[in-house]
Amino acid sequence: MDMNTKKLKKNAFRITKKRYLTASRVRVPGGHMNAELLAAVTKIAKEYGNGTVHITSRQGFEIPDIPFGDIPKVNELLQPLIEGLHINQQAKDGGYPSSGTRNITACIGNCVCPYACYDTTAFAKRVEGAIFPNDLHFKIALTGCPNDCAKVRMHDFGVIGMTLPQYDKGRCVNCEACVKACKKKSVEALKTVNFKVERNHAKCIGCGECVINCPTRAWTRSSEQYYRLTLMGRTGKKNPRLGEDFIKWVDEDSIVKIILNTYGYVKEYIDTSAPGGKEHIGYIIDRTGFAEYKKWAMKGVGLGSDAELRETIYWGGVDYT
């Protein structure tokens, strides 16, 4: 049986170990969806697969053991799911579109978690809409707070939620609950001076532990939304490393712009002879130098007055070269 494997993968079907059988990969931006959409996944798994579903490491679904001949039927059944997840689709008869850009993953965010500083699903869907579909190999992850439950420092772009704590001295009763919480669970950015609390802004990571633990609401979250953007973490066989801070106290619009600018940078400098034609961004930066990447990334980006931009970045990690 002849099969165009490039076309197969572009349609989000995997090449598997089993002859003439494939697996459908379904991306779920932000890892959150309406429960009713699971019916489409269940139907495909039971009628066209082997009755099982694998929940992927990037918060999607993989339905194994689908015969090649049933791909058109599976694409038809996936259509309500594609529309329900608001996935960008070039043609409705083309099934579920795939690309080099991986699913935008996220923790559950502040709709559920008291520690999270923002709605991670909403931001993930915004990023998805801005960059997808695209054939370049990008990995982007979002986490609601510095606890980093989503392991965003292992991605090309990691977005960590922050809040700029607002302190009302008039409501403070000097119980030191915030000071103790910051010392025990965060970075010890608070101290008591003359029976009131002082915050070290340079040390503060914007986690919000002071807000959560204050019994009198002397501490509250800022109305403005802030983030920490980390760059070029990666796993894999060769030179794994953690992402490093690029900008602290950055806004959402700037993050989206930087990611979009990076696509232009990669298209300019990518080594198309790399396996699959998808050279990892981090290796491109290693080759061109961080200063050149930064020049591209910051084109047209208007940072707010609170933003703290790194002048240069040096990555550590395992080095097999």
Side-chain angles (χ1 to χ4, degrees), residues 76-320:
E76 183 179 340
L77 289 173
L78 283 173
Q79 191 58 40
L81 196 149
I82 295 169
E83 295 172 3
L85 291 173
H86 307 290
I87 298 294
N88 290 336
Q89 190 177 20
Q90 293 169 320
K92 283 197 173 185
D93 59 354
Y96 201 93
S98 180
S99 69
T101 297
R102 303 305 194 249
N103 187 43
I104 314 299
T105 65
C107 74
I108 200 165
N110 68 357
C111 293
V112 175
C113 180
Y115 296 97
C117 298
Y118 71 104
D119 185 343
T120 53
T121 300
F123 195 175
K125 288 182 176 180
R126 178 183 176 183
V127 175
E128 157 88 15
I131 68 173
F132 188 79
N134 201 298
D135 286 331
L136 298 180
H137 188 112
F138 281 33
K139 289 183 179 177
I140 304 167
L142 296 81
T143 195
C145 75
N147 284 334
D148 194 9
C149 297
K151 307 297 184 291
V152 304
R153 287 186 181 274
M154 299 170 71
H155 294 72
D156 299 309
F157 295 97
V159 180
I160 302 172
M162 304 177 74
T163 189
L164 186 60
Q166 306 296 299
Y167 182 54
D168 183 350
K169 290 184 178 180
R171 299 185 69 93
C172 181
V173 295
N174 194 36
C175 68
E176 293 197 333
C178 59
V179 177
K180 294 172 183 176
C182 190
K183 180 178 181 179
K184 185 176 181 179
K185 298 194 287 183
S186 192
V187 296
E188 203 170 353
L190 303 179
K191 65 179 180 179
T192 302
V193 178
N194 294 328
F195 304 103
K196 295 299 179 182
V197 181
E198 289 187 356
R199 170 179 160 272
N200 184 337
H201 180 73
K203 196 173 185 180
C204 178
I205 60 174
C207 63
E209 284 288 350
C210 52
V211 177
I212 296 169
N213 287 277
C214 180
T216 65
R217 287 187 59 77
W219 288 103
T220 54
R221 295 185 186 276
S222 54
S223 57
E224 299 86 357
Q225 185 62 64
Y226 298 97
Y227 306 88
R228 179 188 301 261
L229 178 63
T230 69
L231 291 183
M232 305 307 139
R234 64 187 181 217
T235 56
K237 306 181 194 71
K238 184 179 180 182
N239 308 136
R241 66 192 186 191
L242 290 179
E244 291 284 345
D245 289 355
F246 183 38
I247 314 176
K248 294 189 295 183
W249 308 107
V250 64
D251 62 285
E252 185 174 311
D253 290 344
S254 294
I255 291 174
V256 175
K257 181 66 174 173
I258 288 168
I259 294 172
L260 290 173
N261 285 345
T262 302
Y263 278 96
Y265 162 81
V266 172
K267 288 176 182 177
E268 176 71 16
Y269 289 111
I270 191 170
D271 179 3
T272 55
S273 67
K278 292 182 174 65
E279 186 182 21
H280 190 279
I281 313 168
Y283 293 117
I284 303 175
I285 294 176
D286 292 345
R287 190 172 70 249
T288 69
F290 176 73
E292 180 65 14
Y293 167 73
K294 185 178 178 182
K295 183 178 72 175
W296 281 77
M298 300 305 295
K299 283 182 181 178
V301 177
L303 295 176
S305 58
D306 295 313
E308 298 175 13
L309 175 66
R310 287 276 293 275
E311 289 301 317
T312 190
I313 296 179
Y314 300 99
W315 287 273
V318 179
D319 186 355
Y320 291 112

